[in-house]
Amino acid sequence: MTRPGTFLVLLAAVFVAAACAPTGSSSAPGSGLPGSSGAGSSDATGSAAACPTSVPAGLPAGEKRIVTIETAKGKIEITVEANLAPIATANFVALASCGFYDGVNFHRLVPGFVIQGGDPNGTGSGGPGYTFEDEPVVGDYVRGAVAMANGGPDTNGSQFFIILDDLTGRLDKDYSLFGHVTSGMDVVEAIAAMQNAGPPNNEAIEPVAMDRVTVSTP
């Protein structure tokens, strides 16, 4: 169990200071992103999609998708579920399908706590050009859970984090939980173990990129 003082430092470093920027402050979706041609990439079915310019409609109840993140350390498979958070799920799937995340880094590493990524600027200050509201948290922040990072209430964008340890009862339910890692936690741990700059922001020294992100239907 992390001591309360230590946990508060980690929480402030990871979520409060650098989760997502106000609308319009980041690169336009699908353009100017590291490793992206700007045209949108193909999903697992081979079709291309345009990146959203505003929050997509929620994914229908009962729907699930598998989002596969390919990195130099290996693959991470995340199962996202509309029943957990329909808006966050739809947003993540839309951004993954259009190539928004391709080439974007895991920019913040806090071993034993979380890894965080999804900022096209790579600094923790960027987003997709829009924000959307929080959703009630269904379930707990357990090891492998995936949730939206934010800079305060209703400021979700493109940044997300993957939990490395069971944080049940240790993290306020302020971060929309929308999926779980179903394969590749060893890859997540390998990324978390890489060198970081330490508190307060724990910036990755040699960030690992999401080389390609694809979506499939289970």
Side-chain angles (χ1 to χ4, degrees):
M1 177 71 71
T2 305
R3 291 178 298 175
T6 303
F7 175 71
L8 290 176
V9 170
L10 294 174
L11 177 61
V14 177
F15 303 121
V16 176
C20 64
T23 300
S25 64
S26 63
S27 301
S31 64
L33 306 182
S36 173
S37 66
S41 68
S42 296
D43 63 15
T45 65
S47 62
C51 286
T53 56
S54 60
V55 60
L59 204 66
E63 291 286 312
K64 296 182 181 182
R65 299 289 186 272
I66 296 174
V67 177
T68 301
I69 301 173
E70 299 177 28
T71 78
K73 295 292 184 180
K75 292 183 180 181
I76 304 166
E77 289 188 359
I78 300 170
T79 298
V80 299
E81 304 181 45
N83 288 354
L84 293 176
I87 298 173
T89 300
N91 183 71
F92 189 66
V93 167
L95 293 176
S97 296
C98 75
F100 182 94
Y101 289 124
D102 292 358
V104 174
N105 295 329
F106 286 104
H107 64 273
R108 178 164 285 108
L109 314 175
V110 189
F113 190 46
V114 303
I115 65 171
Q116 183 173 330
D119 172 16
N121 296 336
T123 62
S125 64
Y130 58 84
T131 58
F132 62 94
E133 66 269 23
D134 300 326
E135 295 172 89
V137 174
V138 177
D140 294 304
Y141 298 122
V142 297
R143 173 178 163 83
V146 184
M148 298 300 301
N150 63 50
D154 303 324
T155 59
N156 302 291
S158 58
Q159 293 190 49
F160 63 95
F161 59 91
I162 301 174
I163 295 174
L164 301 170
D165 196 7
D166 187 353
L167 301 181
T168 302
R170 297 160 55 192
L171 181 62
D172 291 339
K173 290 193 171 183
D174 295 332
Y175 311 98
S176 300
L177 191 161
F178 61 90
H180 296 83
V181 173
T182 45
S183 178
M185 272 304 293
D186 57 328
V187 177
V188 176
E189 291 285 3
I191 294 170
M194 295 188 68
Q195 188 177 7
N196 70 78
N201 294 322
N202 289 86
E203 301 99 332
I205 301 297
E206 296 181 357
V208 172
M210 294 178 264
D211 295 327
R212 184 168 182 258
V213 183
T214 55
V215 179
S216 60
T217 301

